[in-house]
Amino acid sequence: MALPPARRRALVAALLSSCFLAGTAAAAPAAPATVAVVARELPQAFAAEATVEAVKQATVGAQATGRVVELAVKAGDAVRAGQLIARIDAREADQAVAASLSQVAEAEANLANAKRVHERNRELVAQKFVSQAALDQSEASYKAAQAQVAALKAAAGQAATQRSFATVVAPFAGVVGATHVEAGDLATAGREIATVFVPGDLRVTATLPQAALARWKRELPVAVELPVLNRTVTAVRATVVPIADTRTHTVKVRLDLPAAEGLLPGQFARARFPTGTVRALAVPPSALLRRGEVTAVYVLDKDGRALLRQVRTGDTLVDPKDGAVVEILSGLAAGERIAANPVAAGLGAAP
């Protein structure tokens, strides 16, 4: 039997409502994972900005003047020790070498003649045909010719060395970090050609004020934050450069790093030098919700509801067990629980 239209509409509405409620119950979010807010003893540290650099790095430059006729490498190329990097026009140096060799040949001919004259005078002196003064004169000329040959050979060697400067080669095996000229540029003595470094063997150099250097507990490890890799590593070794800057009164500290794939010289880092311990409330950085200048967390009340609450944070410290944690200065109390994933907790708390 057909139902009246009003009755049929009421029945359809009731069915849709029951389906909606069932779907809502099935999709109800699970309780969010939480983190307990507790006070803990944390190492206190002085944070210093640092720069990643290669332990072994060299910038090769020109030692001769001339046009760059060939640039054999580009940034990122791997090179062997002695491999060609650039070639400079060597025509002027070739002419200098040729001129030096000609002067050596002339001096050697004069030396041979002076030797014959001296030997002849020695025989004539024995036969009483020339005086002892003539022999002394020929001996002096002979020795002067020998010195002239030695001087010109040294000059020829110097010209050959200058000629070799027209070829710029890699000082060691590594990677070309940058090139500073292009083919056709004019190279002058001292102009940089390319920078070569050994990848994998890296360190960071940080600048410490004298007060922080005095408070640094050197027996404790130094943590180095690498934002580009989103990780924190422990320095293998710390070396204080034994000279202070006279203008800023700061000291440089070099921190050798463990192998870290993806790290490049010149990148930013932050070194944390331990200065003692502090008892503080701290939470994982992932539990913080940052929006502009506002930092907040989702706090779970006694009914399990996630409520947004603004907090004031301090330094990022390193817990020996949990790794990096953020100090909470205000907004939370010990014993409270916060959502481990604030984004998921916020979606669950949304109406």
Side-chain angles (χ1 to χ4, degrees):
M1 185 177 70
L3 296 174
R7 176 84 173 168
R8 188 164 55 248
R9 286 194 298 270
L11 182 58
V12 170
L15 289 173
L16 290 176
S17 177
S18 63
C19 291
F20 175 77
L21 292 175
T24 302
T34 61
V35 175
V37 180
V38 296
R40 60 183 90 183
E41 289 289 337
L42 297 173
Q44 198 171 23
F46 176 84
E49 294 184 354
T51 303
V52 179
E53 59 183 31
V55 173
K56 191 173 185 180
Q57 175 175 310
T59 298
V60 293
Q63 292 180 267
T65 299
R67 193 74 57 184
V68 178
V69 296
E70 180 185 0
L71 184 64
V73 298
K74 61 182 181 298
D77 286 352
V79 293
R80 305 180 308 275
Q83 180 176 332
L84 176 68
I85 289 180
R87 199 184 307 277
I88 299 172
D89 187 359
R91 288 176 296 178
E92 183 178 352
D94 288 339
Q95 295 299 322
V97 171
S100 296
L101 293 177
S102 298
Q103 291 174 346
V104 170
E106 180 185 3
E108 287 178 337
N110 292 335
L111 174 62
N113 183 59
K115 181 179 181 181
R116 287 191 299 269
V117 170
H118 180 57
E119 290 176 348
R120 188 181 305 114
N121 284 344
R122 184 181 299 163
E123 295 175 357
L124 293 175
V125 165
Q127 299 173 11
K128 306 297 184 180
F129 286 120
V130 298
S131 65
Q132 183 64 36
L135 179 62
D136 293 342
Q137 180 64 36
S138 64
E139 183 180 5
S141 298
Y142 176 49
K143 290 181 178 179
Q146 286 179 318
Q148 182 70 9
V149 169
L152 291 176
K153 282 185 175 180
Q158 184 179 11
T161 301
Q162 290 292 331
R163 169 63 180 80
S164 69
F165 292 157
T167 303
V168 181
V169 299
F172 46 77
V175 174
V176 178
T179 56
H180 309 292
V181 297
E182 296 292 341
D185 286 348
L186 178 64
T188 56
R191 182 170 182 181
E192 296 179 350
I193 300 296
T195 299
V196 181
F197 70 95
V198 176
D201 194 7
L202 301 175
R203 67 187 178 200
V204 299
T205 299
T207 302
L208 275 182
Q210 293 180 3
L213 184 66
R215 292 187 288 114
W216 174 24
K217 304 292 185 182
R218 303 194 185 188
E219 68 276 8
L220 299 177
V222 179
V224 180
E225 295 178 16
L226 304 173
V228 68
L229 302 182
N230 195 25
R231 58 181 290 199
T232 299
V233 299
T234 300
V236 176
R237 182 174 54 255
T239 304
V240 179
V241 178
I243 187 170
D245 189 295
T246 57
R247 294 181 297 104
T248 61
H249 303 292
T250 56
V251 176
K252 292 187 179 298
V253 180
R254 292 172 177 167
L255 304 169
D256 293 342
L257 300 178
E261 186 176 354
L263 200 60
L264 299 174
Q267 291 177 331
F268 172 79
R270 183 179 291 105
R272 298 192 174 276
F273 297 88
T275 57
T277 58
V278 61
R279 186 167 183 81
L281 298 177
V283 299
S286 58
L288 297 174
L289 185 67
R290 301 182 187 273
R291 293 294 183 267
E293 297 182 358
V294 176
T295 302
V297 295
Y298 276 98
V299 182
L300 273 70
D301 64 8
K302 60 182 180 180
D303 297 325
R305 292 176 301 179
L307 304 176
L308 187 65
R309 186 188 299 175
Q310 185 176 355
V311 296
R312 188 161 65 94
T313 59
D315 294 333
T316 299
L317 306 175
V318 179
D319 189 304
K321 296 181 180 179
D322 300 331
V325 292
V326 179
E327 182 183 6
I328 301 298
L329 301 179
S330 64
L332 288 176
E336 292 185 302
R337 301 195 70 84
I338 62 173
N341 187 336
V343 176
L347 293 175

